[in-house]
Amino acid sequence: MGISVGNKIELVMLDDIIRNEKNKKVYVSKIFDILQGNKLQIAMPIYEGKIVPLSVSDKYSACFYTDKGLMQCNVIVTARYKEGHMFFLEVLILGQLEKVQRRQFYRYICKLGAKVRVVSDEEYETGVPDVEVISEDDLEWNDAKILDISGGGAKIYQRQFLDKNEIVKLKFILAVDDFTFRFSLFARVLSSVHVQNHSEIVEQRLEFMKITKEERDNIIKYIFESERRNRAKEMGMI
């Protein structure tokens, strides 16, 4: 699994990360046992010197300090209890553990259709396509699939290999409940690798460039509303 008993954990409430709150509360804990079914027994966390009884069903981003570096995943609190003089939480690991560095924005896992195309330096500087067209839709776009998205960038699958630092335009729609947001954003390629066992597919990590505050806020709003809806489904409310 990559983590072990005794590893220190930092927990940050998922809603605070999605909103990109500047003053996020960081709760410190430690793994006491690794349980069956992808669950962990951890100490009731401490904040500002006090034990904090986190609520069952709340979701957190968990950062584990391991011998191999920082590992991150999301967890949900499934139980809390007392054994002897110790207070514990039981948490369920959601998704896969990943080796990460500190991130500014929360990444939302998704599967969304998108379009992508490479742009020239001139178009990036001026915002005007090199080819004169009535609509940007008339340009040549490649089909892509967004696998995760944040206020800072996205991970996509497509069929065209692109060099690191190349600039592209990514076009996509985010819709949840009554919210529909359309985007056509410049992005820089951070990495580009062929998918194992699917050499015709390329995974690319993109960093949004020249993104406005309104555009970033709308992405974060979409993520927050999607997470809220997913949580309501899990609780059987919708």
Side-chain angles (χ1 to χ4, degrees):
M1 185 181 286
I3 56 178
S4 57
V5 171
N7 285 161
K8 174 188 170 185
I9 314 171
E10 289 184 352
L11 298 167
V12 179
M13 199 162 191
L14 211 52
D15 284 353
D16 290 345
I17 294 177
I18 293 170
R19 292 192 184 99
N20 198 31
E21 295 284 353
K22 293 183 179 180
N23 298 316
K24 295 182 282 287
K25 291 182 179 179
V26 179
Y27 302 106
V28 179
S29 183
K30 184 173 71 171
I31 297 176
F32 271 76
D33 198 5
I34 297 176
L35 309 173
Q36 291 184 342
N38 252 18
K39 290 185 177 181
L40 303 174
Q41 180 194 46
I42 68 173
M44 196 79 78
I46 295 174
Y47 181 74
E48 294 183 345
K50 297 181 180 179
I51 294 176
V52 182
L54 303 185
S55 298
V56 173
S57 297
D58 280 352
K59 286 185 179 180
Y60 291 84
S61 174
C63 183
F64 301 87
Y65 289 74
T66 76
D67 294 338
K68 298 181 180 179
L70 292 176
M71 305 288 287
Q72 188 272 335
C73 70
N74 295 332
V75 300
I76 184 170
V77 180
T78 56
R80 60 184 189 184
Y81 51 90
K82 182 180 180 182
E83 287 186 358
H85 299 292
M86 293 286 293
F87 293 89
F88 293 101
L89 294 176
E90 188 177 278
V91 299
L92 173 66
I93 292 175
L94 305 175
Q96 297 293 320
L97 274 165
E98 293 186 355
K99 189 171 182 179
V100 295
Q101 297 178 343
R102 298 291 186 176
R103 281 195 171 91
Q104 184 180 4
F105 297 101
Y106 167 70
R107 290 187 303 145
Y108 177 66
I109 308 299
C110 57
K111 288 184 180 179
L112 300 171
K115 300 283 187 180
V116 63
R117 64 180 178 86
V118 178
V119 303
S120 66
D121 292 342
E122 290 75 16
E123 180 176 349
Y124 178 66
E125 291 298 328
T126 65
V128 179
D130 298 340
V131 181
E132 291 187 14
V133 289
I134 297 174
S135 169
E136 194 177 21
D137 293 338
D138 296 330
L139 294 169
E140 186 175 343
W141 295 82
N142 291 329
D143 290 330
K145 182 77 70 177
I146 297 177
L147 304 178
D148 68 48
I149 191 167
S150 75
K155 179 170 73 174
I156 69 170
Y157 275 0
Q158 67 148 326
R159 293 183 180 273
Q160 181 182 12
F161 186 91
L162 299 175
D163 292 330
K164 184 177 180 180
N165 293 323
E166 196 147 22
I167 301 297
V168 300
K169 202 79 177 288
L170 185 68
K171 183 169 63 172
F172 56 96
I173 298 173
L174 300 180
V176 59
D177 294 338
D178 296 330
F179 303 106
T180 300
F181 306 112
R182 298 178 183 273
F183 297 88
S184 184
L185 300 175
F186 288 112
R188 180 169 65 93
V189 178
L190 299 179
S191 65
S192 188
V193 295
H194 289 283
V195 175
Q196 190 174 8
N197 300 325
H198 296 279
S199 58
E200 76 282 6
I201 304 298
V202 183
E203 177 187 294
Q204 288 154 351
R205 291 198 172 276
L206 307 177
E207 177 187 14
F208 294 140
M209 309 293 287
K210 293 187 174 181
I211 184 171
T212 66
K213 182 179 184 301
E214 181 181 5
E215 288 169 333
R216 200 188 306 278
D217 286 347
N218 284 340
I219 292 174
I220 293 171
K221 184 175 184 179
Y222 161 78
I223 294 171
F224 180 78
E225 291 299 328
S226 296
E227 283 284 8
R228 181 191 61 78
R229 184 177 178 83
N230 291 341
R231 191 173 300 122
K233 283 184 178 179
E234 290 170 1
M235 297 175 67
M237 297 172 63
I238 59 174

